[in-house]
Amino acid sequence: AKSDGKARWAQFDPERNANEVARLRLAASMPAALEREEFYVDYQPLIGLRDSSVVGVEALVRWGHPDLGRLGPDKFIGLAEETGLIVPLGRWVLRKACEQAKRWQDRFGDEAPFVSVNLAVRQSRDPNLVMDVAEILEETGLAPHRLQLELTESAIMSTADEPLDKLRALSRMGVRIAIDDFGTGYSNLAYLRHLPVHELKIAGSFMEGLRDAERADPVDARIVGTLVDLAHTLGLTVTAEGVETQAQARRMAEIGCETGQGYLWAKPGDPTTVTDYIASHLE
Ligand code: C2E
Ligand code: CA
Ligand code: CA
């Protein structure tokens, strides 16, 4: 035991310890921040590659921190997953996003985009998930087909104790289900055909090799082509994430991908900016 103590002190690293303290302090301050509504949601358009219409809009959470300034989700979603705060935070994002999508529904009618909301692993395991979604749709008046939920492959696999009952229930309600970051997780292609999924979102990392038309990476191009074919075989639509160049958009359109998302069209923006964007793409 004596040598244990010594070993621990020998490994003590003040810098690492300070980081850990900062992390824990940030985690501890999140519940009050949620209470005070320091979080907000930006929206990024999903563009139809055939006609440039705004098919959907992804909701992306941010934290307007009083001391640290604007924090992106990479700074706090992982922490919120660890502490479990992701469940109430995620529910708050879902409600905000549905309220905003209802405004678009009222203004744009049949041409209104769906709103696509990210679900963390912890949320996909939450026994109240289906009821919460039903309640939020009911209270906001958003049509269920104007809500899409994005789950990563690992979030989908972790709903597996109640063999996909939750996803089926949501799908029966009319809510769309998308697989996020497809191709980066552990992919069991066989399970895909049994999932009530409507859309595959191909991870932005696959766009790298398609950046320039002349210097396209043939392996990346074939992988992406194969993923799109697989999705279509299963009756799913495909969104290409992280599209930054015309060459990428053109290539994805050529191989039959329906939708694109990325800085080429629009960065995530506030509701007013995105509303103007949707309106300007209607004519
Ligand atoms: P994601 O779901 O893959 O979201 C797409 C991310 O790619 C966003 O980063 C977006 O700003 C960024 N992006 C969009 N277009 C481009 C592009 O053309 N190039 C590049 N390089 N990046 C692009 P963001 O907003 O920082 O979000 C990061 C991640 O945080 C998200 O990745 C998602 O996993 C997570 N996240 C965001 N909001 C939520 C939320 O409400 N709940 C949960 N559970 N996770 C969230
Ligand atoms: Ca996403
Ligand atoms: Ca993604």
Side-chain angles (χ1 to χ4, degrees):
K2 224 188 338 179
S3 64
D4 272 349
K6 229 183 207 163
R8 228 179 352 250
W9 282 108
Q11 282 164 13
F12 180 80
D13 173 348
E15 198 172 308
R16 183 147 163 220
N17 192 57
N19 279 339
E20 189 54 22
V21 169
R23 247 171 60 82
L24 293 175
R25 195 172 283 152
L26 198 63
S29 69
M30 286 181 76
L34 182 57
E35 197 87 12
R36 286 195 295 265
E37 302 232 358
E38 287 174 12
F39 295 96
Y40 61 96
V41 182
D42 274 346
Y43 298 89
Q44 186 180 32
L46 277 67
I47 307 295
L49 295 178
R50 285 179 175 280
D51 58 4
S52 297
S53 59
V54 181
V55 176
V57 174
E58 181 170 2
L60 296 158
V61 70
R62 280 92 180 79
W63 183 355
H65 194 284
D67 306 322
L68 303 174
R70 175 192 170 287
L71 298 179
D74 295 342
K75 294 276 187 304
F76 62 85
I77 288 289
L79 270 182
E81 283 251 22
E82 285 173 40
T83 61
L85 192 82
I86 193 68
V87 173
L89 175 61
R91 197 186 300 126
W92 181 86
V93 171
L94 183 64
R95 181 176 297 273
K96 277 282 157 192
C98 289
E99 285 168 1
Q100 182 54 53
K102 171 62 160 65
R103 286 181 206 116
W104 289 324
Q105 176 175 286
D106 289 344
R107 171 150 173 198
F108 300 117
D110 285 346
E111 319 224 65
F114 63 78
V115 73
S116 199
V117 179
N118 293 285
L119 274 198
V121 172
R122 281 283 267 263
Q123 287 178 278
S124 68
R125 291 198 192 129
D126 177 9
N128 296 320
L129 173 69
V130 177
M131 254 184 47
D132 283 348
V133 171
E135 197 174 287
I136 289 172
L137 287 173
E138 168 87 35
E139 285 171 12
T140 57
L142 181 68
H145 70 274
R146 294 218 170 81
L147 174 63
Q148 173 166 281
L149 299 175
E150 299 191 5
L151 294 85
T152 58
E153 290 156 90
S154 46
I156 287 188
M157 292 320 283
S158 76
T159 61
D161 350 330
E162 319 98 80
L164 305 170
D165 284 357
K166 275 185 212 151
L167 293 188
R168 293 219 173 83
L170 289 164
S171 180
R172 269 199 307 271
M173 243 187 252
V175 173
R176 294 168 56 89
I177 308 287
I179 304 187
D180 202 0
D181 303 335
F182 189 74
T184 62
Y186 106 85
S187 294
N188 173 355
L189 297 182
Y191 77 78
L192 265 181
R193 61 178 301 187
H194 302 295
L195 292 178
V197 167
H198 305 86
E199 176 154 311
L200 281 193
K201 297 189 75 175
I202 297 185
S205 48
F206 290 105
M207 292 305 115
E208 273 313 307
L210 308 180
R211 182 164 287 279
D212 312 301
E214 314 80 53
R215 286 183 289 124
D217 181 291
V219 177
D220 265 357
R222 301 240 345 234
I223 292 177
V224 168
T226 305
L227 291 180
V228 172
D229 286 346
L230 169 75
H232 288 164
T233 303
L234 295 167
L236 312 180
T237 57
V238 185
T239 295
E241 298 190 90
V243 176
E244 296 181 353
T245 67
Q246 281 296 351
Q248 290 165 336
R250 215 171 299 124
R251 186 81 193 101
M252 292 312 293
E254 274 166 18
I255 59 183
C257 176
E258 285 83 4
T259 328
Q261 175 180 3
Y263 299 163
L264 173 63
W265 296 283
K267 293 198 168 175
D270 60 53
T272 311
T273 309
V274 177
T275 303
D276 292 346
Y277 188 92
I278 300 168
S280 72
H281 281 243
L282 277 180
E283 290 87 54

